[in-house]
């Protein structure tokens, strides 16, 4: 799936979890700058999938509040 003109995506409070993150990283977002994934039951593995996906390196804003991110997930984000 390709979303080449999308700049902002708000998926807040959809409980997408790790499987939803896996599907999200399979999509192509050429111009995405803001991604809100707060309140989605995302844990450490979901964060790792996001961080490993190079297309999200261009994000200016990423919201992951109110998820199940532990110490390892935080480490993925700051490394």
């Amino acid at each position: 799936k390709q979303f080449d003109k999308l700049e902002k995506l708000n998926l807040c409070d959809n409980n997408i979890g790790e499987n939803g993150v896996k599907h999200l990283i399979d999509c192509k977002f050429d111009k995405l700058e803001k991604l809100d994934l707060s309140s989605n039951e995302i844990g450490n593995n979901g964060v790792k999938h996001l961080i490993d996906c190079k297309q999200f390196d261009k994000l200016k804003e990423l919201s992951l509040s109110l998820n199940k991110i532990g110490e390892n997930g935080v480490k993925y984000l700051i490394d």
Side-chain angles (χ1 to χ4, degrees):
K1 296 176 185 171
Q2 186 170 342
F3 301 96
D4 56 347
K5 295 182 182 183
L6 190 66
E7 295 178 6
K8 299 177 189 176
L9 180 59
N10 183 342
L11 294 173
C12 176
D13 203 21
N14 280 289
N15 295 318
I16 66 170
E18 183 177 329
N19 286 332
V21 171
K22 288 179 183 178
H23 290 290
L24 187 64
I25 63 175
D26 288 337
C27 299
K28 186 174 180 182
F29 299 99
D30 289 336
K31 296 184 179 182
L32 192 66
E33 294 180 355
K34 295 182 181 184
L35 178 59
D36 187 347
L37 296 174
S38 43
S39 294
N40 272 298
E41 303 290 323
I42 297 170
N44 296 333
N45 289 332
V47 171
K48 177 135 177 53
H49 293 306
L50 282 172
I51 297 305
D52 289 345
C53 183
K54 298 299 178 195
Q55 73 172 327
F56 293 121
D57 286 348
K58 298 177 268 182
L59 285 177
K60 294 181 181 177
E61 186 177 316
L62 173 63
S63 179
L64 292 168
S65 62
L66 302 172
N67 280 292
K68 296 181 174 188
I69 300 169
E71 187 175 326
N72 287 336
V74 172
K75 287 179 183 178
Y76 297 141
L77 289 168
I78 61 175
D79 284 343

